[in-house]
């Protein structure tokens, strides 16, 4: 039996689908009261538990052989966030302890490329770069780095665990509309696109899910594996989406200096409007950072592969069109 924490998230629900397609039995862990709709129609056992409530985890972990730990909070907002720290670090610590007590055979932790130390341009990012909470530029980076070190410390005392570090995840089944998913949906709905110069490495969610399964099967205990895809600029992504949609989008380039100045104030706007953040100091820094990332180790040791991003974008557009066509009329 496999347990997937964070099972309704973007990676989580795709991982559940892939495990079921392989004939595996899956228990999906949800927060108490969480919307289970991303799992509707799937033959999966659902159980409610909270990573911050250790006792609740014991029932979820009973009889589990492999744990895929994805439950966490993603944030590109600046400043201290105690909930991000608690869920991502203390929650991971609790999950590790529950896995130990319940005799879990294999523990697969989904970290993040942002948990690694940020290094300057001209150096390829690979698994030789350490997890680095001390020089993190956001609470999210700090928490994922710290949680990754918690996993490695547990390995030293007997936990059979591996760590996966995805890059920028995009793809179908994005029910909660990630930041990148919202950008793609805006293009599908032909909304004006404001963009800045910059690029990053993006990877298909389905390839990440397969990478996690491969890590479970072939990953070496205590090792980490980068699950990356393809480096693409923001403008390149918009142009690809225009080709897929067959329509020219209204675009406007925002000078980076202006974007940086505006980003000082946008966090408050996003908090008040409850809209998906896009331009924050963190997101702008990420687009300007080194994004030459190697997945050679995962390819070599796991047999990992990543599909071309134009296929990912086309499939994501198709999925959004199908999901939102009834709500928005024709999406183009």
């Amino acid at each position: 039996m496999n347990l997937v924490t964070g099972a309704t998230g973007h990676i989580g629900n795709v991982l559940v689908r892939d495990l079921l397609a392989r004939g595996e039995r899956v228990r999906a862990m949800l927060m108490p009261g969480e919307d289970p709709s991303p799992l509707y129609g799937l033959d999966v056992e659902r159980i409610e538990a909270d990573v911050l409530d250790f006792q609740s985890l014991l029932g979820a972990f009973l009889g589990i052989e492999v744990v895929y730990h994805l439950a966490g909070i993603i944030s590109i907002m600046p400043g201290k966030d105690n909930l991000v720290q608690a869920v991502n670090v203390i929650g991971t610590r609790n999950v590790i302890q529950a896995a130990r007590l319940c005799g879990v055979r294999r523990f697969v932790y989904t970290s993040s490329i942002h948990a690694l130390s940020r290094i300057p341009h001209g150096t390829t990012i690979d698994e030789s770069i350490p997890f680095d909470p001390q020089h993190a530029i956001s609470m999210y980076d700090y928490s994922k780095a710290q949680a990754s070190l918690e996993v490695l410390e547990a390995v030293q005392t007997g936990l059979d665990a591996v760590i996966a570090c995805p890059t920028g995840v995009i793809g179908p089944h994005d029910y909660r509309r990630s930041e990148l998913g919202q950008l793609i949906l805006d293009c599908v709905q032909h909304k004006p696109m404001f963009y800045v110069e910059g690029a990053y490495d993006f990877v298909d969610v389905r390839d990440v899910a397969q990478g996690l399964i491969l890590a479970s099967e072939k990953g070496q205990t205590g090792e980490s594996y980068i699950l990356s895809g393809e480096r693409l600029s923001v403008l390149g992504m918009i142009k690809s989406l225009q080709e897929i949609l067959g329509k020219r989008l209204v675009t406007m380039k925002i000078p980076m200096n202006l974007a940086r100045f505006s980003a000082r104030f946008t966090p408050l706007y996003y908090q008040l409007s409850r809209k998906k953040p896009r331009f924050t100091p963190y997101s702008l820094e990420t687009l300007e950072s080194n994004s030459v990332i190697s997945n050679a180790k995962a390819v070599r040791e796991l047999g990992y592969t990543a599909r071309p991003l134009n296929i990912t974008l086309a499939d994501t557009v198709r999925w959004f069109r199908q999901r939102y066509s009834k709500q928005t009329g024709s999406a183009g």
Side-chain angles (χ1 to χ4, degrees):
M1 172 73 83
N2 300 273
L3 175 69
V4 178
T5 74
T8 61
H10 193 191
I11 301 174
N13 86 84
V14 174
L15 175 60
V16 169
R17 293 168 196 277
D18 283 1
L19 288 169
L20 293 174
R22 292 161 56 94
E24 300 273 358
R25 295 170 60 219
V26 181
R27 181 180 297 162
M29 195 179 99
L30 288 72
M31 282 285 292
E34 184 179 352
D35 176 15
S37 58
L39 303 177
Y40 283 171
L42 302 181
D43 184 18
V44 60
E45 177 187 340
R46 298 201 302 258
I47 189 167
E48 291 189 345
D50 185 344
V51 295
L52 296 180
D53 178 1
F54 177 73
Q55 291 301 319
S56 74
L57 294 175
L58 298 180
F61 279 64
L62 191 62
I64 293 298
E65 185 178 8
V66 179
V67 169
Y68 295 92
H69 178 40
L70 294 100
I73 297 178
I74 299 173
S75 175
I76 65 171
M77 298 291 277
K80 187 174 181 179
D81 191 321
N82 291 331
L83 186 59
V84 169
Q85 173 71 4
V87 170
N88 293 355
V89 180
I90 298 173
T92 298
R93 194 178 300 154
N94 287 340
V95 167
I96 289 170
Q97 186 178 357
R100 286 188 188 280
L101 287 177
C102 295
V104 167
R105 178 181 64 80
R106 188 69 149 165
F107 187 98
V108 182
Y109 176 57
T110 302
S111 183
S112 167
I113 196 70
H114 300 300
L116 302 177
S117 181
R118 298 222 177 185
I119 58 175
H121 291 272
T123 305
T124 298
I125 299 170
D126 61 19
E127 291 83 355
S128 67
I129 308 300
F131 295 110
D132 184 12
Q134 298 307 314
H135 300 95
I137 67 167
S138 75
M139 180 59 72
Y140 174 71
D141 293 12
Y142 176 84
S143 67
K144 295 300 281 188
Q146 197 172 23
S148 300
L149 294 177
E150 294 270 351
V151 174
L152 292 180
E153 184 177 338
V155 168
Q156 296 302 312
T157 53
L159 184 70
D160 185 354
V162 292
I163 298 175
C165 298
T167 54
V169 178
I170 58 176
H173 302 290
D174 191 356
Y175 290 92
R176 294 177 178 167
R177 298 197 308 279
S178 62
E179 287 82 7
L180 291 168
Q182 185 63 58
L183 182 147
I184 295 171
L185 179 59
D186 287 349
C187 289
V188 170
Q189 296 176 340
H190 305 136
K191 295 181 179 179
M193 299 305 301
F194 299 92
Y195 72 95
V196 295
E197 286 186 352
Y200 208 68
D201 187 290
F202 302 102
V203 63
D204 193 298
V205 66
R206 296 166 294 186
D207 296 330
V208 173
Q210 284 297 309
L212 293 174
I213 295 172
L214 289 168
S216 169
E217 295 174 340
K218 301 179 181 181
Q220 306 230 5
T221 302
E223 293 294 318
S224 59
Y225 297 92
I226 291 175
L227 305 181
S228 61
E230 182 181 333
R231 189 176 184 274
L232 186 66
S233 69
V234 178
L235 181 59
M237 181 179 291
I238 292 173
K239 286 182 175 179
S240 294
L241 289 167
Q242 286 184 147
E243 291 179 9
I244 292 165
L245 293 166
K247 291 188 178 181
R248 186 172 181 82
L249 299 170
V250 177
T251 62
M252 180 178 293
K253 178 182 174 181
I254 301 175
M256 185 57 79
N257 286 339
L258 177 59
R260 285 198 204 97
F261 177 77
S262 301
R264 300 177 186 177
F265 311 101
T266 52
L268 178 60
Y269 164 74
Y270 292 128
Q271 288 173 349
L272 295 175
S273 65
R274 297 188 178 181
K275 291 185 176 181
K276 280 284 181 183
R278 185 167 300 173
F279 292 116
T280 66
Y282 178 85
S283 65
L284 296 177
E285 194 282 338
T286 297
L287 289 173
E288 290 188 296
S289 67
N290 180 7
S291 55
V292 178
I293 300 170
S294 172
N295 58 24
K297 180 180 176 181
V299 171
R300 182 178 64 252
E301 296 188 13
L302 305 181
Y304 170 77
T305 58
R307 72 197 76 195
L309 278 183
N310 62 325
I311 294 176
T312 301
L313 292 170
D315 290 348
T316 307
V317 165
R318 188 178 304 113
W319 185 82
F320 273 126
R321 277 177 159 168
Q322 292 171 350
R323 179 163 174 79
Y324 289 96
S325 60
K326 292 182 181 180
Q327 299 173 349
T328 63
S330 174

